Amino acid sequence: MAHQVTLIGGDGIGPEVAEATVRAVDATGVEIEWERVEAGARALDEQGQLIPDDVFTSLEVTRVGLKGPTATPIAGGHQSINVALRKKLGLYVNFRPVRMLPGIRSRFRDVPIDMAIFRENTEDLYSGLEHEVVPGVVESLKIITRNASTRIARAAFAYARRENRARVTAIHKANIMKMSDGLFLKCCRETASQFAEIRYDELIVDNACMQLVMRPEKFDVLVLPNLYGDIVSDLAAGLVGGLGIVPGANLGDHHAIFEAVHGTAPDIAGKGLANPTALMQSAVLMLAHLGERSAAARLQQAIEEVYADGGQLTGDVGGKASTAGFTDAVIARLRQN
Ligand code: NAI
């Protein structure tokens, strides 16, 4: 039976990388009925709603989404669609595996980077609770709860156990934010005690950033509150070739939305230059989530072969190929294997 997946193209380069990814996934031979819906700035223009009702109606049925990036205005304007989707669907885990692909022209290319980032996805400073206390003074509330901290810690440790990972590192600033980050750490420690076979340690976020750049190969599984998770994931993406590469998954108890770490890249949108690797690698995670492990492995292998060959890479990773050229090369590899 075909799997049903909700496809949200999004804004900017979103529709370009989404269509490239659909072509690659379809070429694995897995039958997927794509339910195409729109969310984002374009949906607002065309349908008068940022997240039209059919997005939720579709996700209620399919429970799995593949999403391109959506634009969020800076300092004012509408709320982030991602934050709204994550809250409404209870997508409390943001999972970002960061791995070096063969042939990447990163200054870290010879370093065996392989880390799994678990970012809490629903609270912290992303709760959107900001107000003006008096003119010239604003306050932004950082919400940390036992419930959300424990469930992200459990997700990180459960993954470490399932994937035979050796170590989980919690990243925090509890030396300054003693209560909020202190509670996050307490929940991580309590969870660690239930996973005795996995080494657990802690790093203060500023030190963690320095060590990530100096010794990225030392990191294994990382668990972080929302804001540090956001920043550290982009830093980690930079180590392995940039935002065009790194995939992501937003996971809850009932729904999952797979999307790249990158944004709408307005500077290259509509030019056929975007690198679809990040969304394709997100689709690899999606195929595994759907139980299609062999197709997931084949798509991953095809992507890696195109990188190892190096002749059909996009501009952001030092090549000259278009989005379509790279995608054709991945599909050709899939057909050969
Ligand atoms: P961005 O990720 O869109 O772009 C940063 C730089 O990376 C740009 O130079 C861009 O050309 C390049 N880049 C990003 N993805 C690429 C790809 N696949 N291939 C080649 N080059 C790529 O970040 P920026 O400029 O901070 O954000 C633009 C918009 O995207 C904002 O409205 C922001 O809110 C939104 N955004 C949405 C996200 C989502 O929906 N998941 C995540 C991050 C940002």
Side-chain angles (χ1 to χ4, degrees):
M1 215 178 74
H3 302 282
Q4 289 181 309
V5 173
T6 303
L7 181 72
I8 305 171
D11 299 315
I13 60 169
E16 301 167 54
V17 292
E19 282 314 316
T21 302
V22 165
R23 284 180 60 212
V25 171
D26 287 346
T28 65
V30 172
E31 261 187 71
I32 294 191
E33 271 173 34
W34 301 99
E35 284 202 14
R36 289 163 201 269
V37 293
E38 272 311 328
R42 210 149 49 95
L44 185 62
D45 277 356
E46 291 169 9
Q47 304 177 47
Q49 273 181 296
L50 267 179
I51 311 183
D53 296 338
D54 63 349
V55 174
F56 290 113
T57 312
S58 173
L59 282 165
E60 264 324 303
V61 176
T62 63
R63 297 185 172 240
V64 178
L66 184 70
K67 176 183 168 296
T70 41
T72 309
I74 290 180
H78 64 75
Q79 189 200 14
S80 155
I81 289 160
N82 297 316
V83 172
L85 281 174
R86 289 165 193 173
K87 277 194 190 161
K88 178 125 185 187
L89 300 176
L91 305 173
Y92 58 88
V93 174
N94 191 313
F95 168 59
R96 293 170 170 183
V98 176
R99 233 159 35 85
M100 188 66 85
L101 288 172
I104 287 281
R105 286 189 218 158
S106 154
R107 66 193 67 190
F108 295 95
R109 68 179 167 275
D110 299 322
V111 183
I113 296 173
D114 182 5
M115 59 184 114
I117 299 178
F118 283 80
R119 162 186 169 195
E120 201 290 319
N121 222 6
T122 60
E123 56 179 27
D124 192 356
L125 280 161
Y126 289 54
S127 305
L129 299 172
E130 292 189 314
H131 65 121
E132 187 173 53
V133 182
V134 291
V137 181
V138 294
E139 191 172 47
S140 185
L141 299 181
K142 169 164 166 145
I143 309 292
I144 299 284
T145 64
R146 169 176 282 283
N147 182 30
S149 304
T150 302
R151 65 190 182 181
I152 191 69
R154 284 208 186 116
F157 277 96
Y159 171 87
R161 178 173 279 170
R162 203 170 56 242
E163 302 292 326
N164 287 319
R165 297 285 199 143
R167 182 163 72 112
V168 173
T169 305
I171 295 182
H172 67 94
K173 190 82 186 175
N175 50 332
I176 305 296
M177 282 161 276
K178 293 180 195 293
M179 287 187 74
S180 52
D181 283 13
L183 175 59
F184 181 79
L185 274 191
K186 191 165 185 282
C187 298
C188 289
R189 286 175 195 163
E190 284 168 7
T191 307
S193 69
Q194 294 154 23
F195 291 80
E197 80 279 17
I198 296 160
R199 213 176 115 206
Y200 169 70
D201 57 11
E202 297 167 354
L203 274 180
I204 294 176
V205 61
D206 34 356
N207 178 22
C209 288
M210 186 268 291
Q211 296 211 27
L212 272 163
V213 173
M214 293 193 70
R215 286 180 288 275
E217 71 281 8
K218 297 278 179 224
F219 287 82
D220 193 346
V221 178
L222 283 68
V223 59
L224 312 92
N226 206 341
L227 176 63
Y228 312 145
D230 195 0
I231 297 168
V232 165
S233 328
D234 272 29
L235 186 155
L239 303 172
V240 299
L243 289 172
I245 304 287
V246 176
N250 296 291
L251 308 167
D253 291 331
H254 305 292
H255 296 87
I257 295 186
F258 297 85
E259 69 176 335
V261 174
H262 63 72
T264 57
D267 49 337
I268 55 166
K271 297 181 180 161
L273 299 175
N275 186 352
T277 305
L279 198 60
M280 279 187 196
Q281 293 207 94
S282 306
V284 169
L285 301 175
M286 182 190 81
L287 286 167
H289 175 86
L290 291 170
E292 301 286 356
R293 289 198 165 265
S294 135
R298 282 190 294 116
L299 179 53
Q300 185 65 41
Q301 191 189 335
I303 294 168
E304 292 189 12
E305 284 176 7
V306 172
Y307 271 87
D309 174 78
Q312 287 295 336
L313 301 184
T314 49
D316 58 312
V317 285
K320 290 199 168 71
S322 62
T323 309
F326 172 81
T327 307
D328 291 343
V330 170
I331 292 172
R333 293 280 173 174
L334 269 172
R335 299 221 161 106
Q336 277 164 23
N337 293 336

